[in-house]
Amino acid sequence: MEQKTFKPTDPHSFSQPQEARVKHLKWTSTIDFSTKIITAVASWTIESIEDADVIIFDIKDIKIAKVTLDDDQPTEFKIAERDSILGEALAVMIKPYTKTINISYTTSPGAEALQWLSPEQTAGKKFPFLFTQSQAILARSWVPCQDSPSVRFTYEADVTVPKDLLALMSASNPQQKNETGVYHFEMKQPVPSYLLALSVGDLQFQAISNRSGIYAEPSMLQKSVWEFADLEKMISGAEELYGPYQWDRYDVLVLPPSFPFGGMENPRLTFATPTVIAGDRSLTSLIAHELAHSWSGNLVTNATWNDFWLNEGFTVYFETRIMEKLYGKDHAEMLASLNLQDLHNEIKDLNEAGLHADTKLKLDLDDRNPDDGVTEVAYVKGYFFLRSIEEKYGKDKFDTFLKDYFYDNGFKSMNTEGFMTYIKEYYQKKFNIAFDDQLFQSWIFSEGVPENCPRPSSDRFKKVDVVIAGWNAEQNLDKSKAGDWTTQEWLHFLKNLPDTLSQQQMQSIDNFGKFTQSGNAEIISAWSVIAIRNNYQRMDPVIEAFLINTGRRKFLGPIYNELIKTEQGKQKAKVIYSKARSNYHFVATNTFDKLLN
Ligand SMILES: [Zn+2]
Protein backbone atom coordinates (compact mmCIF):
# COMPACT_ATOMS: atom_id res chain seq x y z
CA MET A 1 0.00 0.00 0.00
CA GLU A 2 1.30 3.42 -0.87
CA GLN A 3 2.11 5.49 2.19
CA LYS A 4 0.83 9.02 2.30
CA THR A 5 1.18 11.49 5.09
CA PHE A 6 -1.87 13.60 5.79
CA LYS A 7 -2.30 16.38 8.25
CA PRO A 8 -4.89 15.07 10.70
CA THR A 9 -8.02 17.20 10.89
CA ASP A 10 -9.42 15.57 14.01
CA PRO A 11 -6.99 14.27 16.63
CA HIS A 12 -9.45 11.52 17.61
CA SER A 13 -10.05 9.93 14.23
CA PHE A 14 -7.74 8.11 11.82
CA SER A 15 -10.05 8.92 8.90
CA GLN A 16 -8.98 11.30 6.13
CA PRO A 17 -12.32 12.66 4.91
CA GLN A 18 -10.62 15.25 2.71
CA GLU A 19 -9.45 12.30 0.54
CA ALA A 20 -12.40 9.94 0.73
CA ARG A 21 -15.49 10.45 2.87
CA VAL A 22 -18.63 8.52 3.74
CA LYS A 23 -22.04 9.91 2.71
CA HIS A 24 -24.57 7.18 3.49
CA LEU A 25 -24.69 4.00 5.56
CA LYS A 26 -26.77 0.92 4.93
CA TRP A 27 -26.46 -1.22 8.05
CA THR A 28 -27.79 -4.77 8.16
CA SER A 29 -27.36 -6.48 11.50
CA THR A 30 -28.35 -9.28 13.83
CA ILE A 31 -28.28 -8.76 17.58
CA ASP A 32 -27.34 -11.88 19.57
CA PHE A 33 -27.87 -11.59 23.32
CA SER A 34 -26.46 -15.06 24.11
CA THR A 35 -23.01 -14.24 22.71
CA LYS A 36 -23.21 -10.45 23.20
CA ILE A 37 -22.15 -10.04 19.59
CA ILE A 38 -23.58 -8.00 16.72
CA THR A 39 -23.02 -9.53 13.29
CA ALA A 40 -23.39 -6.91 10.59
CA VAL A 41 -22.65 -5.58 7.15
CA ALA A 42 -21.94 -1.86 6.91
CA SER A 43 -22.31 -0.71 3.30
CA TRP A 44 -20.94 2.81 2.99
CA THR A 45 -21.62 5.04 0.01
CA ILE A 46 -18.57 7.24 -0.40
CA GLU A 47 -17.19 10.25 -2.24
CA SER A 48 -13.50 10.56 -2.99
CA ILE A 49 -11.08 12.93 -4.68
CA GLU A 50 -9.80 11.87 -8.09
CA ASP A 51 -6.57 10.16 -7.15
CA ALA A 52 -7.67 8.65 -3.84
CA ASP A 53 -6.69 4.97 -3.68
CA VAL A 54 -7.65 4.31 -0.07
CA ILE A 55 -10.43 5.13 2.37
CA ILE A 56 -9.80 4.99 6.09
CA PHE A 57 -12.30 4.01 8.78
CA ASP A 58 -12.02 3.91 12.54
CA ILE A 59 -12.65 0.60 14.28
CA LYS A 60 -12.05 -0.68 17.79
CA ASP A 61 -12.07 -4.38 18.74
CA ILE A 62 -14.12 -5.20 15.64
CA LYS A 63 -13.45 -8.44 13.76
CA ILE A 64 -13.53 -7.85 10.01
CA ALA A 65 -14.71 -10.90 8.06
CA LYS A 66 -14.69 -9.48 4.54
CA VAL A 67 -14.49 -6.18 2.67
CA THR A 68 -15.74 -5.74 -0.89
CA LEU A 69 -16.38 -2.83 -3.25
CA ASP A 70 -19.62 -2.00 -5.04
CA ASP A 71 -21.32 -5.23 -6.22
CA ASP A 72 -19.11 -7.55 -4.25
CA GLN A 73 -15.79 -6.95 -6.02
CA PRO A 74 -12.86 -8.13 -3.91
CA THR A 75 -10.39 -5.59 -2.56
CA GLU A 76 -7.49 -5.42 -0.13
CA PHE A 77 -7.69 -3.98 3.33
CA LYS A 78 -5.24 -3.43 6.13
CA ILE A 79 -5.68 -2.88 9.86
CA ALA A 80 -3.11 -0.74 11.68
CA GLU A 81 -1.77 -1.35 15.15
CA ARG A 82 -4.24 -0.81 17.99
CA ASP A 83 -4.09 2.42 19.99
CA SER A 84 -5.58 1.98 23.47
CA ILE A 85 -7.75 5.10 23.14
CA LEU A 86 -8.38 5.44 19.41
CA GLY A 87 -8.54 1.80 18.39
CA GLU A 88 -7.41 0.89 14.89
CA ALA A 89 -7.35 2.40 11.42
CA LEU A 90 -8.99 0.23 8.78
CA ALA A 91 -7.62 1.13 5.34
CA VAL A 92 -9.56 -0.15 2.33
CA MET A 93 -8.07 0.06 -1.16
CA ILE A 94 -10.47 1.75 -3.59
CA LYS A 95 -10.65 2.48 -7.32
CA PRO A 96 -11.34 5.95 -8.76
CA TYR A 97 -14.91 4.88 -9.61
CA THR A 98 -15.66 3.08 -6.31
CA LYS A 99 -19.08 4.08 -4.93
CA THR A 100 -19.67 1.59 -2.13
CA ILE A 101 -17.58 -0.20 0.51
CA ASN A 102 -19.18 -3.29 2.07
CA ILE A 103 -17.68 -4.29 5.41
CA SER A 104 -18.82 -7.61 6.96
CA TYR A 105 -17.85 -7.84 10.62
CA THR A 106 -18.67 -8.86 14.17
CA THR A 107 -18.39 -6.77 17.32
CA SER A 108 -16.59 -8.02 20.40
CA PRO A 109 -18.53 -8.93 23.57
CA GLY A 110 -16.59 -6.15 25.32
CA ALA A 111 -17.39 -3.51 22.67
CA GLU A 112 -17.06 -0.23 24.53
CA ALA A 113 -20.23 1.43 23.23
CA LEU A 114 -22.49 -1.50 23.99
CA GLN A 115 -24.01 -2.37 27.32
CA TRP A 116 -25.71 -5.75 27.46
CA LEU A 117 -27.98 -6.06 30.48
CA SER A 118 -29.22 -9.31 31.95
CA PRO A 119 -32.97 -9.52 32.74
CA GLU A 120 -32.16 -8.91 36.46
CA GLN A 121 -30.64 -5.55 35.51
CA THR A 122 -33.90 -4.28 33.97
CA ALA A 123 -37.08 -3.00 35.60
CA GLY A 124 -39.16 -5.90 34.27
CA LYS A 125 -36.59 -8.62 35.19
CA LYS A 126 -37.84 -10.85 32.35
CA PHE A 127 -35.93 -9.85 29.20
CA PRO A 128 -32.36 -8.79 28.42
CA PHE A 129 -31.63 -5.27 27.26
CA LEU A 130 -29.05 -3.60 25.02
CA PHE A 131 -28.19 0.04 24.60
CA THR A 132 -25.37 1.95 22.93
CA GLN A 133 -23.50 5.06 23.99
CA SER A 134 -21.40 6.26 21.04
CA GLN A 135 -20.25 9.70 22.20
CA ALA A 136 -17.45 10.60 22.09
CA ILE A 137 -15.46 8.01 20.09
CA LEU A 138 -17.18 4.71 20.83
CA ALA A 139 -19.27 4.35 17.65
CA ARG A 140 -16.19 2.69 16.13
CA SER A 141 -16.64 -0.24 18.53
CA TRP A 142 -19.94 -1.26 16.88
CA VAL A 143 -19.86 0.24 13.36
CA PRO A 144 -16.72 0.77 11.25
CA CYS A 145 -17.04 4.50 10.54
CA GLN A 146 -15.23 7.78 10.05
CA ASP A 147 -15.61 8.55 13.70
CA SER A 148 -15.19 12.31 13.70
CA PRO A 149 -17.96 14.78 14.62
CA SER A 150 -17.05 16.71 11.45
CA VAL A 151 -18.17 13.87 9.14
CA ARG A 152 -21.94 13.61 8.53
CA PHE A 153 -23.92 10.93 6.75
CA THR A 154 -27.48 9.71 6.34
CA TYR A 155 -28.35 6.14 7.20
CA GLU A 156 -30.80 3.27 6.90
CA ALA A 157 -30.74 0.03 8.83
CA ASP A 158 -32.34 -3.41 9.00
CA VAL A 159 -31.92 -4.87 12.47
CA THR A 160 -32.90 -8.40 13.53
CA VAL A 161 -33.58 -8.91 17.24
CA PRO A 162 -35.23 -11.64 19.39
CA LYS A 163 -38.95 -11.69 18.58
CA ASP A 164 -40.19 -10.54 21.99
CA LEU A 165 -38.04 -7.39 21.92
CA LEU A 166 -38.34 -4.00 20.20
CA ALA A 167 -35.41 -2.28 18.47
CA LEU A 168 -35.04 1.52 18.36
CA MET A 169 -32.44 3.76 16.73
CA SER A 170 -31.61 7.46 16.36
CA ALA A 171 -33.85 7.38 13.28
CA SER A 172 -37.48 6.83 12.23
CA ASN A 173 -38.75 4.34 14.79
CA PRO A 174 -41.44 1.64 15.12
CA GLN A 175 -44.03 2.23 17.86
CA GLN A 176 -44.70 -1.42 18.60
CA LYS A 177 -43.17 -4.86 18.28
CA ASN A 178 -43.81 -6.93 15.17
CA GLU A 179 -43.90 -10.70 14.66
CA THR A 180 -40.70 -10.99 12.64
CA GLY A 181 -38.27 -9.27 14.99
CA VAL A 182 -36.86 -7.40 11.98
CA TYR A 183 -37.03 -3.60 12.10
CA HIS A 184 -36.28 -1.06 9.41
CA PHE A 185 -34.92 2.40 10.18
CA GLU A 186 -34.23 5.52 8.16
CA MET A 187 -32.33 8.64 9.09
CA LYS A 188 -32.72 11.16 6.30
CA GLN A 189 -30.97 14.07 8.00
CA PRO A 190 -27.17 13.74 7.98
CA VAL A 191 -25.63 13.04 11.40
CA PRO A 192 -22.12 12.50 12.74
CA SER A 193 -21.18 9.00 13.95
CA TYR A 194 -21.36 9.85 17.66
CA LEU A 195 -25.12 10.18 17.19
CA LEU A 196 -25.52 6.60 15.95
CA ALA A 197 -27.63 4.83 18.55
CA LEU A 198 -29.42 1.54 19.09
CA SER A 199 -31.47 0.13 21.92
CA VAL A 200 -33.17 -3.26 22.15
CA GLY A 201 -35.48 -4.36 24.94
CA ASP A 202 -38.97 -5.06 26.17
CA LEU A 203 -40.17 -1.56 25.31
CA GLN A 204 -43.55 0.10 24.88
CA PHE A 205 -44.54 3.45 23.47
CA GLN A 206 -47.03 6.09 24.56
CA ALA A 207 -47.69 9.31 22.69
CA ILE A 208 -47.55 12.74 24.34
CA SER A 209 -48.39 14.75 21.23
CA ASN A 210 -48.59 13.96 17.54
CA ARG A 211 -44.84 14.37 17.21
CA SER A 212 -43.55 13.24 20.59
CA GLY A 213 -43.82 10.37 23.01
CA ILE A 214 -42.12 8.08 25.50
CA TYR A 215 -40.59 4.63 25.14
CA ALA A 216 -39.92 2.68 28.34
CA GLU A 217 -40.14 -0.75 29.85
CA PRO A 218 -43.84 -1.47 30.59
CA SER A 219 -43.52 -0.98 34.35
CA MET A 220 -41.83 2.41 33.86
CA LEU A 221 -44.04 3.78 31.08
CA GLN A 222 -46.86 5.46 33.05
CA LYS A 223 -44.50 7.10 35.54
CA SER A 224 -42.34 8.37 32.69
CA VAL A 225 -45.27 9.73 30.68
CA TRP A 226 -46.49 11.59 33.77
CA GLU A 227 -43.04 12.98 34.55
CA PHE A 228 -42.50 14.29 31.01
CA ALA A 229 -46.02 15.57 30.43
CA ASP A 230 -44.65 18.98 29.36
CA LEU A 231 -42.64 17.49 26.49
CA GLU A 232 -44.67 19.10 23.71
CA LYS A 233 -44.66 22.45 25.51
CA MET A 234 -40.88 22.22 25.65
CA ILE A 235 -40.62 21.53 21.93
CA SER A 236 -42.90 24.37 20.90
CA GLY A 237 -41.23 26.68 23.45
CA ALA A 238 -37.83 25.83 21.96
CA GLU A 239 -39.13 26.50 18.45
CA GLU A 240 -40.46 29.90 19.49
CA LEU A 241 -37.00 30.77 20.77
CA TYR A 242 -34.68 29.56 18.04
CA GLY A 243 -36.59 28.29 15.02
CA PRO A 244 -38.24 25.11 13.78
CA TYR A 245 -37.39 21.67 15.10
CA GLN A 246 -35.67 19.99 12.15
CA TRP A 247 -35.81 16.29 12.99
CA ASP A 248 -39.54 15.46 12.53
CA ARG A 249 -40.28 13.48 15.71
CA TYR A 250 -38.93 13.97 19.22
CA ASP A 251 -39.26 10.90 21.44
CA VAL A 252 -37.64 9.99 24.74
CA LEU A 253 -36.43 6.50 25.66
CA VAL A 254 -36.22 5.88 29.42
CA LEU A 255 -33.43 3.37 29.95
CA PRO A 256 -32.61 1.04 32.85
CA PRO A 257 -30.61 2.73 35.67
CA SER A 258 -27.16 1.65 34.47
CA PHE A 259 -27.21 4.28 31.71
CA PRO A 260 -24.02 6.26 32.44
CA PHE A 261 -25.31 9.74 31.62
CA GLY A 262 -28.29 11.87 32.48
CA GLY A 263 -29.28 11.84 28.87
CA MET A 264 -27.85 11.40 25.40
CA GLU A 265 -29.17 13.59 22.63
CA ASN A 266 -29.52 10.84 20.01
CA PRO A 267 -31.47 12.53 17.21
CA ARG A 268 -35.24 11.92 17.25
CA LEU A 269 -34.80 9.69 20.30
CA THR A 270 -33.20 11.08 23.44
CA PHE A 271 -31.83 8.35 25.69
CA ALA A 272 -32.58 9.24 29.32
CA THR A 273 -31.65 7.96 32.76
CA PRO A 274 -34.57 6.85 34.98
CA THR A 275 -32.96 8.87 37.81
CA VAL A 276 -34.86 11.93 36.54
CA ILE A 277 -38.19 10.22 37.23
CA ALA A 278 -38.49 11.91 40.63
CA GLY A 279 -42.28 11.67 40.87
CA ASP A 280 -42.69 15.45 41.04
CA ARG A 281 -41.44 16.64 37.63
CA SER A 282 -38.61 18.49 39.37
CA LEU A 283 -35.72 17.15 37.28
CA THR A 284 -37.12 17.64 33.77
CA SER A 285 -34.55 20.30 32.84
CA LEU A 286 -32.60 17.26 31.66
CA ILE A 287 -35.14 16.78 28.89
CA ALA A 288 -34.96 20.50 28.02
CA HIS A 289 -31.21 20.01 27.74
CA GLU A 290 -31.37 16.99 25.44
CA LEU A 291 -34.07 18.65 23.35
CA ALA A 292 -31.94 21.80 23.01
CA HIS A 293 -29.20 19.62 21.53
CA SER A 294 -31.49 19.18 18.52
CA TRP A 295 -30.17 22.66 17.60
CA SER A 296 -26.85 23.01 19.43
CA GLY A 297 -24.81 19.88 18.82
CA ASN A 298 -26.96 17.84 16.50
CA LEU A 299 -27.64 20.64 14.01
CA VAL A 300 -24.52 22.77 14.55
CA THR A 301 -21.90 20.26 15.65
CA ASN A 302 -18.54 20.74 17.34
CA ALA A 303 -15.89 20.00 14.69
CA THR A 304 -13.60 18.20 17.14
CA TRP A 305 -13.84 17.26 20.82
CA ASN A 306 -11.51 20.18 21.60
CA ASP A 307 -14.51 22.38 20.70
CA PHE A 308 -16.90 20.45 22.96
CA TRP A 309 -18.01 23.64 24.72
CA LEU A 310 -19.74 24.67 21.48
CA ASN A 311 -22.04 21.67 21.91
CA GLU A 312 -22.57 21.89 25.65
CA GLY A 313 -22.25 25.59 26.54
CA PHE A 314 -24.84 26.51 23.89
CA THR A 315 -27.07 23.67 25.05
CA VAL A 316 -27.02 24.69 28.70
CA TYR A 317 -27.82 28.24 27.58
CA PHE A 318 -30.74 27.04 25.43
CA GLU A 319 -31.93 24.62 28.13
CA THR A 320 -32.00 27.41 30.70
CA ARG A 321 -34.01 29.60 28.32
CA ILE A 322 -36.55 26.81 27.75
CA MET A 323 -36.91 26.37 31.51
CA GLU A 324 -37.32 30.13 31.95
CA LYS A 325 -40.00 30.22 29.27
CA LEU A 326 -41.98 27.36 30.80
CA TYR A 327 -41.45 27.85 34.54
CA GLY A 328 -40.33 31.46 35.00
CA LYS A 329 -37.19 33.46 35.59
CA ASP A 330 -36.66 32.47 39.20
CA HIS A 331 -36.71 28.77 38.39
CA ALA A 332 -34.09 29.29 35.66
CA GLU A 333 -31.98 31.31 38.07
CA MET A 334 -32.07 28.50 40.63
CA LEU A 335 -30.72 26.12 37.98
CA ALA A 336 -28.02 28.59 36.91
CA SER A 337 -27.02 29.19 40.49
CA LEU A 338 -26.65 25.46 41.28
CA ASN A 339 -24.65 25.09 38.07
CA LEU A 340 -22.30 27.93 39.01
CA GLN A 341 -21.55 26.37 42.37
CA ASP A 342 -20.79 23.04 40.65
CA LEU A 343 -18.52 24.85 38.19
CA HIS A 344 -16.49 26.44 40.98
CA ASN A 345 -16.10 23.04 42.65
CA GLU A 346 -15.07 21.43 39.37
CA ILE A 347 -12.45 24.09 38.70
CA LYS A 348 -11.07 23.61 42.21
CA ASP A 349 -10.83 19.84 41.61
CA LEU A 350 -9.20 20.26 38.19
CA ASN A 351 -6.64 22.69 39.61
CA GLU A 352 -5.90 20.35 42.51
CA ALA A 353 -5.33 17.56 40.00
CA GLY A 354 -2.91 19.78 38.09
CA LEU A 355 -5.24 19.96 35.09
CA HIS A 356 -5.23 23.76 34.89
CA ALA A 357 -5.50 23.84 31.08
CA ASP A 358 -8.75 21.85 31.26
CA THR A 359 -10.42 24.91 32.79
CA LYS A 360 -10.19 26.72 29.42
CA LEU A 361 -13.14 26.46 27.05
CA LYS A 362 -10.95 25.57 24.06
CA LEU A 363 -9.39 22.25 25.04
CA ASP A 364 -6.27 20.41 23.96
CA LEU A 365 -7.21 16.73 24.17
CA ASP A 366 -4.67 15.45 21.64
CA ASP A 367 -3.35 12.05 22.79
CA ARG A 368 -5.98 11.97 25.52
CA ASN A 369 -9.41 10.40 25.84
CA PRO A 370 -11.96 13.02 24.71
CA ASP A 371 -14.02 11.93 27.68
CA ASP A 372 -11.56 13.96 29.80
CA GLY A 373 -13.25 17.05 28.35
CA VAL A 374 -16.63 16.17 29.85
CA THR A 375 -16.49 18.57 32.81
CA GLU A 376 -18.62 21.45 34.07
CA VAL A 377 -16.24 23.77 32.22
CA ALA A 378 -17.66 22.95 28.77
CA TYR A 379 -21.23 23.07 30.10
CA VAL A 380 -21.36 25.81 32.69
CA LYS A 381 -18.42 28.06 31.88
CA GLY A 382 -19.67 27.84 28.29
CA TYR A 383 -23.14 28.87 29.48
CA PHE A 384 -21.87 31.84 31.48
CA PHE A 385 -19.72 33.02 28.57
CA LEU A 386 -22.79 33.16 26.32
CA ARG A 387 -24.83 34.75 29.10
CA SER A 388 -22.18 37.42 29.53
CA ILE A 389 -22.60 38.36 25.84
CA GLU A 390 -26.38 38.35 26.29
CA GLU A 391 -26.14 40.64 29.34
CA LYS A 392 -23.60 42.97 27.79
CA TYR A 393 -25.35 43.65 24.47
CA GLY A 394 -28.96 42.69 25.17
CA LYS A 395 -31.13 39.60 25.14
CA ASP A 396 -33.05 40.46 21.95
CA LYS A 397 -29.85 40.83 20.00
CA PHE A 398 -28.48 37.58 21.34
CA ASP A 399 -31.70 35.75 20.48
CA THR A 400 -31.61 37.08 16.93
CA PHE A 401 -27.99 36.01 16.66
CA LEU A 402 -28.64 32.48 17.97
CA LYS A 403 -31.57 31.88 15.66
CA ASP A 404 -29.46 32.86 12.64
CA TYR A 405 -26.43 30.95 13.93
CA PHE A 406 -28.45 27.73 14.02
CA TYR A 407 -30.04 28.44 10.65
CA ASP A 408 -26.84 29.43 8.81
CA ASN A 409 -24.76 26.58 10.20
CA GLY A 410 -27.37 23.81 10.31
CA PHE A 411 -26.13 20.29 9.46
CA LYS A 412 -22.55 21.55 9.53
CA SER A 413 -19.70 21.42 11.97
CA MET A 414 -18.20 24.41 13.72
CA ASN A 415 -14.94 24.96 15.57
CA THR A 416 -14.16 27.58 18.19
CA GLU A 417 -12.36 29.87 15.75
CA GLY A 418 -15.23 29.62 13.25
CA PHE A 419 -17.68 30.60 15.98
CA MET A 420 -15.57 33.62 16.94
CA THR A 421 -15.42 34.83 13.33
CA TYR A 422 -19.14 34.26 12.85
CA ILE A 423 -20.33 36.11 15.96
CA LYS A 424 -17.91 39.01 15.41
CA GLU A 425 -19.03 39.54 11.82
CA TYR A 426 -22.68 39.06 12.77
CA TYR A 427 -22.72 41.68 15.54
CA GLN A 428 -20.70 44.09 13.40
CA LYS A 429 -22.96 43.80 10.37
CA LYS A 430 -26.31 43.49 12.05
CA PHE A 431 -25.94 45.72 15.12
CA ASN A 432 -22.80 47.74 14.34
CA ILE A 433 -21.23 46.39 17.51
CA ALA A 434 -17.50 45.64 17.51
CA PHE A 435 -16.45 42.72 19.70
CA ASP A 436 -13.36 43.17 21.80
CA ASP A 437 -10.90 40.29 21.33
CA GLN A 438 -10.29 40.42 25.07
CA LEU A 439 -13.76 38.94 25.53
CA PHE A 440 -12.71 35.77 23.72
CA GLN A 441 -9.30 35.80 25.30
CA SER A 442 -10.63 35.92 28.85
CA TRP A 443 -13.39 33.33 28.42
CA ILE A 444 -12.14 30.90 25.78
CA PHE A 445 -8.35 30.82 26.06
CA SER A 446 -7.84 31.60 29.76
CA GLU A 447 -8.08 29.29 32.74
CA GLY A 448 -10.78 29.58 35.40
CA VAL A 449 -13.76 31.92 35.47
CA PRO A 450 -13.35 35.64 34.61
CA GLU A 451 -13.97 38.20 37.34
CA ASN A 452 -16.95 39.66 35.50
CA CYS A 453 -18.84 36.34 35.33
CA PRO A 454 -22.61 36.98 35.53
CA ARG A 455 -24.16 36.25 38.92
CA PRO A 456 -27.50 34.46 38.94
CA SER A 457 -29.95 35.63 41.57
CA SER A 458 -32.98 33.70 42.81
CA ASP A 459 -35.48 34.98 45.38
CA ARG A 460 -36.33 31.44 46.38
CA PHE A 461 -32.67 30.71 47.10
CA LYS A 462 -32.42 33.89 49.16
CA LYS A 463 -35.10 32.45 51.44
CA VAL A 464 -33.10 29.23 51.71
CA ASP A 465 -30.04 31.29 52.62
CA VAL A 466 -32.01 32.79 55.50
CA VAL A 467 -32.75 29.30 56.82
CA ILE A 468 -29.09 28.31 56.51
CA ALA A 469 -28.01 31.48 58.31
CA GLY A 470 -30.48 30.70 61.09
CA TRP A 471 -29.06 27.22 61.39
CA ASN A 472 -25.49 28.48 61.51
CA ALA A 473 -26.36 31.04 64.20
CA GLU A 474 -28.76 29.10 66.44
CA GLN A 475 -28.87 25.48 65.20
CA ASN A 476 -32.53 25.99 64.58
CA LEU A 477 -34.40 24.64 61.56
CA ASP A 478 -37.98 25.79 61.07
CA LYS A 479 -39.89 23.21 59.02
CA SER A 480 -42.67 25.65 58.20
CA LYS A 481 -40.19 27.73 56.19
CA ALA A 482 -39.45 24.77 53.92
CA GLY A 483 -43.05 23.72 53.26
CA ASP A 484 -42.99 24.63 49.56
CA TRP A 485 -39.36 23.89 48.77
CA THR A 486 -38.64 22.18 45.47
CA THR A 487 -35.76 19.81 44.74
CA GLN A 488 -33.61 22.78 43.70
CA GLU A 489 -34.08 24.53 47.05
CA TRP A 490 -33.25 21.37 48.97
CA LEU A 491 -30.12 20.95 46.87
CA HIS A 492 -29.10 24.54 47.50
CA PHE A 493 -29.63 23.95 51.22
CA LEU A 494 -27.53 20.78 51.23
CA LYS A 495 -24.75 22.24 49.14
CA ASN A 496 -24.31 25.23 51.42
CA LEU A 497 -24.15 23.54 54.80
CA PRO A 498 -20.90 23.75 56.80
CA ASP A 499 -18.35 21.06 55.85
CA THR A 500 -18.16 19.56 59.31
CA LEU A 501 -21.26 18.50 61.24
CA SER A 502 -21.67 16.55 64.50
CA GLN A 503 -23.80 13.41 64.68
CA GLN A 504 -26.47 15.38 66.48
CA GLN A 505 -26.44 18.07 63.82
CA MET A 506 -26.63 15.45 61.07
CA GLN A 507 -29.64 13.92 62.82
CA SER A 508 -31.41 17.30 63.09
CA ILE A 509 -30.75 18.10 59.44
CA ASP A 510 -31.99 14.65 58.41
CA ASN A 511 -35.15 15.16 60.46
CA PHE A 512 -35.64 18.54 58.80
CA GLY A 513 -35.35 17.31 55.18
CA LYS A 514 -35.98 13.54 55.48
CA PHE A 515 -33.00 13.11 53.17
CA THR A 516 -32.16 9.50 54.06
CA GLN A 517 -35.65 8.42 52.94
CA SER A 518 -35.59 10.52 49.76
CA GLY A 519 -36.46 8.87 46.46
CA ASN A 520 -34.83 11.70 44.53
CA ALA A 521 -31.47 10.69 43.05
CA GLU A 522 -30.07 14.25 43.08
CA ILE A 523 -30.83 14.60 46.77
CA ILE A 524 -29.55 11.13 47.68
CA SER A 525 -26.33 11.89 45.85
CA ALA A 526 -25.75 15.27 47.58
CA TRP A 527 -26.76 13.90 51.00
CA SER A 528 -24.52 10.82 50.55
CA VAL A 529 -21.45 13.01 50.18
CA ILE A 530 -22.32 14.91 53.37
CA ALA A 531 -23.07 11.66 55.22
CA ILE A 532 -19.72 10.11 54.23
CA ARG A 533 -17.80 13.27 55.15
CA ASN A 534 -19.40 13.32 58.59
CA ASN A 535 -19.48 9.56 59.17
CA TYR A 536 -23.29 9.45 59.42
CA GLN A 537 -23.69 5.70 59.35
CA ARG A 538 -27.45 5.64 59.04
CA MET A 539 -26.89 6.36 55.34
CA ASP A 540 -24.48 3.44 54.76
CA PRO A 541 -27.03 0.94 53.41
CA VAL A 542 -28.67 3.65 51.27
CA ILE A 543 -25.32 4.63 49.78
CA GLU A 544 -24.40 1.03 49.02
CA ALA A 545 -27.74 0.30 47.35
CA PHE A 546 -27.59 3.57 45.40
CA LEU A 547 -24.08 2.86 44.09
CA ILE A 548 -24.99 -0.67 43.09
CA ASN A 549 -28.25 0.25 41.37
CA THR A 550 -27.31 3.51 39.63
CA GLY A 551 -24.84 3.80 36.77
CA ARG A 552 -25.06 7.55 36.20
CA ARG A 553 -21.51 8.85 36.40
CA LYS A 554 -22.51 12.29 37.68
CA PHE A 555 -23.74 10.68 40.91
CA LEU A 556 -21.09 7.99 41.25
CA GLY A 557 -18.13 10.37 40.95
CA PRO A 558 -18.75 12.58 43.99
CA ILE A 559 -19.71 9.62 46.22
CA TYR A 560 -16.73 7.40 45.36
CA ASN A 561 -14.39 10.40 45.55
CA GLU A 562 -15.65 11.24 49.02
CA LEU A 563 -15.37 7.61 50.16
CA ILE A 564 -11.73 7.21 49.12
CA LYS A 565 -10.63 10.17 51.24
CA THR A 566 -10.15 7.84 54.24
CA GLU A 567 -8.48 4.43 54.36
CA GLN A 568 -11.60 2.82 55.82
CA GLY A 569 -13.78 4.50 53.20
CA LYS A 570 -11.48 3.30 50.46
CA GLN A 571 -11.91 -0.32 51.57
CA LYS A 572 -15.67 0.19 51.67
CA ALA A 573 -15.64 1.76 48.20
CA LYS A 574 -13.70 -1.19 46.76
CA VAL A 575 -16.12 -3.72 48.22
CA ILE A 576 -19.14 -1.82 46.88
CA TYR A 577 -17.47 -1.29 43.50
CA SER A 578 -16.81 -5.01 43.12
CA LYS A 579 -20.55 -5.64 43.55
CA ALA A 580 -21.63 -2.70 41.39
CA ARG A 581 -19.16 -2.80 38.50
CA SER A 582 -21.13 -5.21 36.32
CA ASN A 583 -24.03 -2.73 36.37
CA TYR A 584 -21.93 0.09 34.91
CA HIS A 585 -21.29 1.04 31.28
CA PHE A 586 -17.71 1.23 29.96
CA VAL A 587 -17.60 5.05 30.20
CA ALA A 588 -18.22 4.68 33.94
CA THR A 589 -15.88 1.72 34.59
CA ASN A 590 -13.19 3.46 32.51
CA THR A 591 -13.35 6.33 35.04
CA PHE A 592 -13.71 4.32 38.24
CA ASP A 593 -11.28 1.46 37.46
CA LYS A 594 -8.54 4.06 37.64
CA LEU A 595 -9.89 5.53 40.86
CA LEU A 596 -10.49 2.23 42.66
CA ASN A 597 -7.93 0.10 40.77
ZN1 LIG B 1 -25.40 17.95 26.63
Side-chain angles (χ1 to χ4, degrees), residues 212-396:
S212 70
I214 308 292
Y215 291 92
E217 287 188 69
S219 67
M220 289 296 291
L221 189 59
Q222 288 317 312
K223 277 183 246 182
S224 306
V225 168
W226 187 87
E227 201 81 18
F228 302 139
D230 282 347
L231 195 54
E232 176 56 39
K233 271 188 224 158
M234 283 187 177
I235 305 169
S236 40
E239 287 185 311
E240 280 168 36
L241 281 165
Y242 301 125
Y245 178 76
Q246 304 232 27
W247 305 86
D248 306 331
R249 289 196 60 86
Y250 181 78
D251 295 317
V252 176
L253 165 62
V254 178
L255 288 167
S258 60
F259 187 58
F261 295 121
M264 178 63 212
E265 63 270 25
N266 297 314
R268 291 177 191 235
L269 184 66
T270 282
F271 284 20
T273 170
T275 61
V276 293
I277 314 289
D280 60 5
R281 297 177 180 161
S282 65
L283 302 177
T284 56
S285 65
L286 180 109
I287 299 298
H289 180 94
E290 304 312 330
L291 170 66
H293 270 305
S294 307
W295 287 258
S296 45
N298 298 4
L299 202 58
V300 185
T301 308
N302 54 207
T304 75
W305 300 114
N306 289 333
D307 306 297
F308 185 52
W309 79 273
L310 288 180
N311 271 20
E312 297 303 342
F314 276 77
T315 298
V316 173
Y317 181 83
F318 195 165
E319 163 202 346
T320 310
R321 293 294 303 277
I322 294 171
M323 295 307 282
E324 179 186 346
K325 200 172 171 71
L326 263 67
Y327 309 111
K329 178 84 181 162
D330 202 72
H331 186 80
E333 286 293 87
M334 289 200 290
L335 298 174
S337 176
L338 288 168
N339 283 342
L340 185 58
Q341 190 171 4
D342 289 346
L343 173 64
H344 284 306
N345 290 334
E346 180 96 81
I347 287 176
K348 194 168 143 265
D349 291 348
L350 288 168
N351 284 333
E352 278 170 15
L355 299 167
H356 308 284
D358 287 359
T359 66
K360 298 177 186 177
L361 285 181
K362 175 83 186 191
L363 295 171
D364 179 6
L365 296 167
D366 297 19
D367 301 321
R368 292 171 66 191
N369 192 324
D371 213 34
D372 292 354
V374 185
T375 73
E376 300 288 347
V377 173
Y379 291 75
V380 182
K381 186 181 173 184
Y383 162 78
F384 279 102
F385 171 41
L386 298 177
R387 177 164 163 170
S388 73
I389 299 174
E390 173 219 287
E391 288 188 1
K392 188 165 180 185
Y393 301 111
K395 209 169 190 169
D396 289 351

